[in-house]
């Protein structure tokens, strides 16, 4: 095959060492030679590795993504003036079984890359990588807080306290005050229910709270609830602090954040997650929104054999940005507009409002649509303008609507002949009008 890059290095990354295959022209014409090297993964040694590769004339470097072990290698190489440092998906260069060694792995990477058969993944610059680390840690912190709230609910249920059956949240101000009173020794349901505030103080709610707060709450349950409440407080403070840190780190891209927040369902959290995971200019790294949707795995895969299309599920990538877009989609369909209309049409097409699977498929499609809109908004620099809830009905011409209705009649009465008579407007008017 045609060699596109003359001097290429392929790197097989491990925790304590890296194998490097350097591909360069051989001594005879039209030949190539491979040299296998090995280095430790201490950062000083990695910097020396980068300098050594440049002295050998290497212009392109490729390595498989190996989690956190790839990062120091990538950034050490990025300090040098290589033409390209690519990090690829390991699935794109998978070794044959029985033919896998570290030396063969790095040599295979170099051979494939020098012919242009591998494409590098999107790697954010260092300043965006800091935003990504903070947003991902905030996600984990919120998930840990949710787990702690579930443990608190479990402890209350074990004690016969049915607060979750009456109150919408067991961590609200009034609910927390009731749990604190239980921990302090109060056991009278009526006294505990009197701590309710706002809409919880209606007559029906107070009677339900009084019964829900009477149980077998022991000292052991008090200890568990105390531990859970303290942990929830720690996670609340941590999440708030991370939100402030993220806002400061993301300030240089305030224009892009403001553009993203013009989309329905996009708030500060979703916009910051987009910035951290995809970047402020996705069109520079992804040639089209279809490529971006494939990278985020918000579109179904192709699984066709012998002209039979099998089920192509969305992939497992996009661990952090994909749930955010799904969350934004659920919020967007609550706003009257084009996205809500599209969601309703898709639900009807996929099986109806009573089918949970239809709703899940439709909401994934709405998340895909949001991704495409965000891509275009950032590429054009123009805020999003919703075309309205009648967007799809305006697109339909009378001829298309008529053809659709004729097809429906044919389905109801196969083989029937449909005759359409269009009367002049005067014939439709009542006498004397």
């Amino acid at each position: 095959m045609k060699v596109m890059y003359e001097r290429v290095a392929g790197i097989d990354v491990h925790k304590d060492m890296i194998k490097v295959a350097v591909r360069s022209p051989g001594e005879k014409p039209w030949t190539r030679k491979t040299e296998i090297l090995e280095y430790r993964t201490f950062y000083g040694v990695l910097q020396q590795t980068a300098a050594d590769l440049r002295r050998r004339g290497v212009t392109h470097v490729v390595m498989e993504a190996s989690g956190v072990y790839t990062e120091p290698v990538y950034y050490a190489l990025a300090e040098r003036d290589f033409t390209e440092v690519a990090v690829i998906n390991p699935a794109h260069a998978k070794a044959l079984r029985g033919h896998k060694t570290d030396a063969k792995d790095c040599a295979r990477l170099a051979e494939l890359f020098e012919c242009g058969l591998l494409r590098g993944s999107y790697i954010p610059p260092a300043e965006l990588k800091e935003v990504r680390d903070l947003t991902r840690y905030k996600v984990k912190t919120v998930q840990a807080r949710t787990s702690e709230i579930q443990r608190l609910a479990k402890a209350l249920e074990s004690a016969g306290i049915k607060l979750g059956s009456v109150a919408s949240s067991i961590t609200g101000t009034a609910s927390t005050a009731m749990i604190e009173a239980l921990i302090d020794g109060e056991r009278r349901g009526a006294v505990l229910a009197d701590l309710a505030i706002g809409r919880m103080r209606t007559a029906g709610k107070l009677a339900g709270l009084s019964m829900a707060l009477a149980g077998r709450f022991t000292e052991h349950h008090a200890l568990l609830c105390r531990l859970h409440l303290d942990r929830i407080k720690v996670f609340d403070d941590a999440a708030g602090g991370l939100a402030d840190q993220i806002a400061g780190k993301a300030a240089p891209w305030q224009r892009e954040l403001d553009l993203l927040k013009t989309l329905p369902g996009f708030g500060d959290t979703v916009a910051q997650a987009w910035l951290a995971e995809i970047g402020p200019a996705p069109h520079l790294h992804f040639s089209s929104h279809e490529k971006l949707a494939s990278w985020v795995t918000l579109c179904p895969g192709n699984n066709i054999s012998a002209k039979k299309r099998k089920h192509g599920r969305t992939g497992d990538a996009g661990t952090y940005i994909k749930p955010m877009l799904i969350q934004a989609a659920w919020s967007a369909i609550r706003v009257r507009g084009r996205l809500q209309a599209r969601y309703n049409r898709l639900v009807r097409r996929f099986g109806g409002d009573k089918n949970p699977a239809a709703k899940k498929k439709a909401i994934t499609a709405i998340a895909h649509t949001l991704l495409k809109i965000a891509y275009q908004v950032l590429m054009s620099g123009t805020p999003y303008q919703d075309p309205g809830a009648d967007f799809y009905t305006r697109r339909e011409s009378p001829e298309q609507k008529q053809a659709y209705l004729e097809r429906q009649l044919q389905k109801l009465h196969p083989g029937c002949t449909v005759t359409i008579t269009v009367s002049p407007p005067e014939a439709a008017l009542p006498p004397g009008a």
Side-chain angles (χ1 to χ4, degrees), residues 55 117 154 315 327 330 338 355 430:
R55 280 196 301 271
L117 298 177
K154 186 177 178 180
Q327 176 184 333
W330 281 114
R338 175 209 170 183
N355 187 345

Side-chain angles (χ1 to χ4, degrees), residues 113-130:
F113 193 70
E114 71 183 8
C115 298
L117 298 177
L118 297 176
R119 183 184 300 168
S121 299
Y122 165 64
I123 304 295
E127 56 272 17
L128 272 178
K129 179 64 170 60
E130 295 176 1

Side-chain angles (χ1 to χ4, degrees), residues 172-202:
T173 303
S175 298
T176 303
M178 296 172 192
I179 297 172
E180 291 282 1
L182 281 167
I183 294 172
D184 292 338
E186 181 60 60
R187 298 291 182 267
R188 291 170 294 177
V191 175
L192 293 168
D194 196 49
L195 296 172
I197 57 176
R199 287 181 295 177
M200 293 178 68
R201 293 200 65 85
T202 60

